[in-house]
Amino acid sequence: MQEEVTLLQMRHIDKSFPGVRALNGVDFTLRKGEIHALMGENGAGKSTLIKILTGVYQHDGGEILVEGQPVIIRSPQDAQNQGISTVYQEITLCPNLTVAENMFIGREESPLIRHKDREKKADEILGHLGIPARSTQQLGSCSLAVQQMVAIARAVDMKCRVLILDEPTSSLDDKEVKMLFDLMKDLRSKGVGIIFVTHFLEQVYEVSDRITVLRNGELVGEYLTKDLPQVELVSKMIGKELEELSALGESEEKETKDAEVFYEAHDLQSSEAQPFDFSIRKGEVNGFTGLLGSGRSESVRAIFGADKVNGGSVKICGKPVKITKPIDAMKHGIGYLAEDRKRDGIIAELSVRENIILAL
Ligand SMILES: Nc1ncnc2c1ncn2[C@@H]1O[C@H](COP(=O)(O)OP(=O)(O)O)[C@@H](O)[C@H]1O
Ligand SMILES: [Mg+2]
């Protein structure tokens, strides 16, 4: 860490929604060149604090200072003018446009800047940040990790001083997470203050310098990461002492090796997946792992019949069955949540009710 310079202060921030006090006098301080993890259970108030900082919500009380000066942030544009940029969990760029178009969309400083110049500038930024993408590539053809990095490149190029990453790693694999962390560390060394929200505790310890913990809309405390053991972080997040924690969980471990095999596939293959064997017992949780492109998603899509199944055999509770379409899988009690739920899991324009009955 460099010499400590306070970049951003949020003081005594209050925010209520009808019936809920989402934030109650919360303080948060971000310094130049630090990666600061914002931690707390679901509903603790992390997103609300961030949305106040980015002008999505207005706070009811308290103040925000940037480099010591009180500022008023009423819109995302105000936040951007203060050099505060956000990369949301769900990528909010346009997959059908090129990388360069995505980096400059919505801020054409001059319509006279030629396409080629823009591409050249985009390539410079990508190269500078070590992002493995070309400016002319269609964004949708890049991996989610690279898309996320393009979103960061876009944020960084907007002269960002504060970069907010809300759950940036949820859909990345280990290698991609490492690339993202290298980029974060590089930006830190350039003096950017980074607010990092995640559910992955190991990642907090791998990359953050400081941790702020919220619980039920209140500040629990701010700690140097190196001074806060992981078990203490957990106990601060959930508000329980360590002894209570160790008593939890013990009763939950169950043996499943004698349970009945529910599903069994032999040489299952689809238009997208190579032949594979797989089985799962009742009461089991089974993880599929591998690098990007190794066939994890394709394998589970074959199990669900979401891609064209063209070989292999499947048994459910020992009985041979045919699962070639999603409806077959559903009739046998198999459900599937897609990797990109916004694109493949729901139809956002329809109501909750319509979405729920749609699958029937
Ligand atoms: N737009 C909203 N309307 C009503 N209640 C909200 C809204 N946004 C958040 N809340 C409530 O505020 C509290 C804090 O939520 P949130 O900031 O999303 O927590 P976190 O991001 O830590 O999971 C929760 O009780 C949540 O239900
Ligand atoms: Mg949240």
Side-chain angles (χ1 to χ4, degrees):
M1 244 185 292
Q2 303 155 334
E3 189 195 340
E4 277 189 14
V5 181
T6 301
L7 197 53
L8 172 83
Q9 269 180 297
M10 299 179 82
R11 284 198 195 143
H12 316 303
I13 301 290
D14 291 321
K15 176 71 187 175
S16 293
F17 295 108
V20 190
R21 186 115 196 222
L23 293 174
N24 190 0
V26 169
D27 294 320
F28 177 77
T29 305
L30 182 71
R31 296 153 195 85
K32 225 166 133 72
E34 76 171 357
I35 298 177
H36 195 135
L38 184 59
M39 303 294 292
E41 286 193 290
N42 267 333
K46 305 178 298 287
S47 295
T48 303
L49 192 70
I50 280 174
K51 285 177 180 164
I52 286 171
L53 187 56
T54 54
V56 177
Y57 295 151
Q58 309 299 308
H59 49 280
D60 305 331
E63 58 177 352
I64 302 175
L65 294 91
V66 174
E67 291 183 348
Q69 299 299 313
V71 295
I72 293 180
I73 299 176
R74 289 227 164 81
S75 67
Q77 192 59 52
D78 287 347
Q80 217 153 80
N81 292 341
Q82 294 297 336
I84 300 170
S85 298
T86 322
V87 176
Y88 292 98
Q89 175 176 11
E90 308 220 318
I91 291 158
T92 46
L93 302 180
C94 307
N96 54 327
L97 298 183
T98 65
V99 168
E101 284 165 339
N102 269 289
M103 285 173 66
F104 295 106
I105 193 169
R107 55 193 182 99
E108 309 330 74
E109 302 91 41
S110 156
L112 297 176
I113 297 184
R114 283 182 15 251
H115 224 60
K116 282 275 165 258
D117 294 339
R118 217 182 293 158
E119 283 168 4
K120 193 165 152 244
K121 188 161 173 220
D123 277 323
E124 268 170 32
I125 299 166
L126 295 169
H128 180 61
L129 297 174
I131 299 171
R134 275 170 296 108
S135 62
T136 50
Q137 227 173 328
Q138 198 186 346
L139 186 74
S141 72
C142 304
S143 70
L144 281 179
V146 170
Q147 292 188 34
Q148 204 131 38
M149 291 177 151
V150 170
I152 294 174
R154 175 186 158 85
V156 171
D157 186 49
M158 289 197 269
K159 304 282 163 287
C160 103
R161 292 186 283 183
V162 175
L163 177 64
I164 302 166
L165 298 168
D166 195 350
E167 304 260 354
T169 57
S170 332
S171 44
L172 308 185
D173 67 26
D174 288 354
K175 206 171 113 212
E176 296 170 317
V177 168
K178 189 175 173 307
M179 276 190 337
L180 178 67
F181 284 0
D182 287 344
L183 177 54
M184 285 164 67
K185 288 174 188 165
D186 182 42
L187 292 171
R188 168 173 67 186
S189 71
K190 295 183 165 86
V192 177
I194 300 177
I195 305 175
F196 180 44
V197 181
T198 181
H199 280 112
F200 300 110
L201 297 187
E202 326 79 73
Q203 296 185 354
V204 168
Y205 283 89
E206 195 178 327
V207 80
S208 78
D209 305 300
R210 220 178 285 260
I211 301 173
T212 288
V213 180
L214 300 182
R215 189 171 66 236
N216 294 331
E218 310 219 351
L219 175 70
V220 177
E222 184 200 70
Y223 314 90
L224 283 172
T225 307
K226 63 177 172 49
D227 294 343
L228 185 70
Q230 191 161 329
V231 275
E232 271 182 44
L233 170 60
V234 173
S235 97
K236 291 193 189 310
M237 284 167 61
I238 66 177
K240 290 208 167 83
E241 292 305 324
L242 299 178
E243 304 82 69
E244 291 177 74
L245 280 180
S246 55
L248 289 172
E250 277 172 10
S251 58
E252 289 183 5
E253 280 181 31
K254 271 190 296 186
E255 280 291 343
T256 57
K257 70 179 191 301
D258 299 325
E260 185 186 0
V261 174
F262 170 70
Y263 173 97
E264 197 174 354
H266 182 62
D267 272 345
L268 185 64
Q269 59 178 303
S270 73
S271 52
E272 309 298 323
Q274 302 290 322
F276 66 99
D277 291 352
F278 171 72
S279 70
I280 186 163
R281 292 170 193 274
K282 289 188 174 172
E284 239 177 18
V285 176
N286 212 316
F288 272 64
T289 185
L291 293 177
L292 197 76
S294 59
R296 297 161 303 184
S297 306
E298 290 74 11
S299 300
V300 296
R301 288 175 63 85
I303 291 172
F304 192 64
D307 295 322
K308 191 171 163 28
V309 174
N310 46 24
S313 61
V314 172
K315 286 183 195 163
I316 298 263
C317 298
K319 290 201 197 70
V321 297
K322 264 206 141 21
I323 297 181
T324 53
K325 305 186 287 301
I327 192 73
D328 302 335
M330 288 161 70
K331 281 186 179 145
H332 289 293
I334 300 175
Y336 170 61
L337 283 185
E339 178 180 27
D340 188 344
R341 290 188 284 280
K342 204 163 84 179
R343 195 187 66 191
D344 300 329
I346 57 164
I347 300 179
E349 291 74 20
L350 299 183
S351 68
V352 170
R353 177 174 178 276
E354 287 165 318
N355 269 285
I356 289 172
I357 58 173
L358 199 61
L360 304 178

